Amino acid sequence: MGCIESLKYEIVLRGASFAECRRYVEEHCRERVTVDPGFKIFEKPIIGVPPIVIGLDGEVVTFPYTKPCYGTFLLRTENPSEAARIRSLGKK
Amino acid sequence: MNNTWYAGRESIIVSEKERKDALLVLGCPQVPVQTAIALYLMYRLRTLGVTPVVAGNQAARMQVEVSDPLHHYGGEMVDIDTCIADLAEGRRRYSYYMVFVHNDAGISYAATVQSITGKKVVAILYGEHFREVGETIGFPCEKVAAKAVHNPMPLKKKIDEVLPWVVSNL
């Protein structure tokens, strides 16, 4: 996921389970949007167990990012256009 | 047009129309049995007339490449991110989906493949914590599970038991 790796992001959770990422977003993010696996975020299909919950706090996006060897990371990044796109396409 | 593929004493003839393929999604190769079981599964699939395609990260693919340099068992190999993108965009479909699962990331990949394709996946569960990992699966899938970390035989036996059924019924 070259696009994601080139972003300025903060790692919220490292080596977490998909359930832990979902719980964190539900408990800490002001706005939650549900998407299906394969939904494109930063131009790459998202990996996860549905329902995948993405957090939105204004223009800040909090989302899970899975790698085979490192498990799932929960990342947070500020991106106005992607936040708007996710808000318009995801299920609330 | 017929295609004949020989595997030791076993041989099969598959017509182009009947040709089937299977996507094998590999996990992190940190558990030693993964590559051995993947190669064995490719061999068994070929004897059943199914062409295997391997998806994995670079380390997982190179394990297969180095173990089977002439691609006697393996065939096409694709990067896992490209593979998921192709499935998500509907550019590629397979007859069977088999996902190697030994950790939470494996569950995420299996769920993603199932959700995108709408097909039942085969989760190949192995590793020290195969039972606990398997219990977290809540989506439609067939589980082939054994406690196999260094010795692939328990998982090989399970594959021998269920693979003909999988190829006939999924």
Side-chain angles (χ1 to χ4, degrees):
Chain A
M1 289 192 173
C3 298
I4 288 176
E5 280 154 17
S6 66
L7 294 171
K8 275 189 181 173
Y9 58 78
E10 172 196 347
I11 298 174
V12 180
L13 297 176
R14 186 190 296 269
S17 69
F18 57 83
E20 288 166 339
C21 290
R22 187 186 297 156
R23 200 175 312 127
Y24 184 95
V25 170
E26 285 171 350
E27 288 173 4
H28 294 87
C29 297
R30 217 166 39 228
E31 200 179 335
R32 273 92 56 187
V33 170
T34 302
V35 300
D36 292 322
F39 177 87
K40 282 198 167 180
I41 182 162
F42 298 107
E43 299 177 14
K44 292 289 179 185
I46 198 164
I47 304 294
V49 178
I52 299 173
V53 184
I54 297 174
L56 296 168
D57 292 281
E59 296 175 342
V60 175
V61 183
T62 305
F63 63 100
Y65 173 46
T66 301
K67 297 285 276 181
C69 290
Y70 302 101
T72 302
F73 295 80
L74 191 66
L75 305 180
R76 178 186 287 149
T77 188
E78 187 168 353
N79 192 299
S81 59
E82 195 66 353
R85 193 184 69 84
I86 293 166
R87 198 172 272 120
S88 68
L89 294 177
K91 293 169 258 179
K92 292 188 180 176
Chain B
M1 184 178 155
N2 288 332
N3 176 43
T4 308
W5 185 82
Y6 295 95
R9 284 173 296 173
E10 298 171 77
S11 68
I12 52 159
I13 297 175
V14 185
S15 73
E16 292 287 343
K17 203 165 66 177
E18 295 164 349
R19 187 174 286 180
K20 292 187 169 181
D21 53 9
L23 177 68
L24 277 61
V25 180
L26 302 184
C28 172
Q30 70 189 122
V31 181
V33 298
Q34 177 173 268
T35 306
I37 287 296
L39 285 165
Y40 181 71
L41 182 56
M42 287 183 241
Y43 156 74
R44 291 283 291 148
L45 285 165
R46 285 192 185 278
T47 65
L48 294 167
V50 180
T51 303
V53 175
V54 169
N57 67 7
Q58 193 184 25
R61 284 183 282 120
M62 287 306 108
Q63 290 272 345
V64 172
E65 182 71 44
V66 170
S67 305
D68 182 24
L70 297 178
H71 287 212
H72 190 65
Y73 304 112
E76 186 186 355
M77 290 202 271
V78 291
D79 170 68
I80 195 162
D81 290 336
T82 306
C83 172
I84 296 294
D86 286 346
L87 291 176
E89 296 288 325
R91 288 191 290 265
R92 193 89 190 252
R93 285 290 183 265
Y94 300 87
S95 312
Y96 308 100
Y97 298 91
M98 300 176 176
V99 185
F100 284 71
V101 177
H102 73 273
N103 60 10
D104 193 82
I107 299 279
S108 291
Y109 277 96
T112 299
V113 171
Q114 194 282 320
S115 177
I116 290 171
T117 64
K119 285 197 70 171
K120 191 175 270 189
V121 303
V122 178
I124 299 168
L125 291 151
Y126 59 103
E128 192 69 40
H129 307 291
F130 78 101
R131 210 179 296 279
E132 297 92 312
V133 172
E135 282 168 2
T136 64
I137 294 179
F139 52 88
C141 87
E142 293 294 336
K143 297 177 189 173
V144 180
K147 186 170 182 174
V149 180
H150 295 97
N151 181 356
M153 290 311 285
L155 195 50
K156 175 197 174 289
K157 284 179 187 165
K158 291 283 181 186
I159 287 171
D160 288 340
E161 283 170 23
V162 304
L163 195 63
W165 182 89
V166 165
V167 169
S168 302
N169 292 281
L170 290 190

